[in-house]
Amino acid sequence: MLVRRPKRKSGKLVLYSKPQQYTQIKAAIIAVAVTGMTAVTVPAFALVQPAFAREAIMLVQRSLQNGNSKPETKLDVLLRELANLEVEKATLDVKHTSSNEAIEEIDASIEALRNRIDEILPKSNAAISNVVTEALVSKIAALEIENSLLEAYHSPYAEVVVSTENQIRRLWRRVASITPQNPKEVINPVVSAILDTEVANLKARRTSLATRYTPDDIGDLLTIDLQLGSLAQRQAFYNS
């Protein structure tokens, strides 16, 4: 199947050549913050590698700081650190020896954090499960958006796309181990809402480009169309 690709400059594909191309990603992640995310869950996005995601994290954190007058407690910090480690562990590829060694180190750190949390909040299992689940689901949403961008530039069988899909599967399995009754009820509504926001932002971006269309915009338009197609498939799964 022939797939049209975005424009090239000097023989090389240019990714995110304009700041506007990832504005919608920031908006989607910020939407999570203003619809109920807590400071504890935000650092889950720190595991997303592209620079646009790291910038979005900072915007979310500033938004949360402006909206939260209550200072972060020691318990909040420990729960956040624990959630980060759980997300990191879930996204590691255990096929590699180095990953197995990393998991052993993470497990030791998780156990130490759980002990410290128990000292502050006895019988903390429920609180830990809630915070970890929020972080895992947030990471799933971030990776789903990231993969829709990757698929705009790569085939579905490209190593980078397959790697991200595998991370999503491992995160799903970890959520299922915490909420075995029906993990879809925990994951789908959150991810679906974020994908809906992303689609709306992309469509608005496309409409804006179409009204002032120039030959320089064709790469952006093609990228948006490819990403919308990818997101539509993901929406169908999370809306099922």
Side-chain angles (χ1 to χ4, degrees), residues 21-30 52 56 145 149 198 227:
Q21 285 179 274
Y22 56 79
T23 299
Q24 66 271 16
I25 307 297
K26 298 179 190 175
I29 300 176
I30 290 172
F52 68 80
I145 291 175
L149 283 173
E198 172 66 358
Q227 191 182 353

Side-chain angles (χ1 to χ4, degrees), residues 4 60 64 73 91 99 161 167-168 177 196-197 217 221 234:
R4 298 182 66 185
V60 174
L64 288 169
T73 66
T91 52
S99 295
V161 177
Q167 288 184 56
I168 292 171
S177 72
D196 288 346
T197 301
D217 296 321
L221 288 169
R234 297 175 185 282

Side-chain angles (χ1 to χ4, degrees), residues 37 48 92 106 145 156 178 192:
M37 261 183 61
V48 184
L92 284 174
I106 291 172
I145 291 175
I178 299 173
S192 178

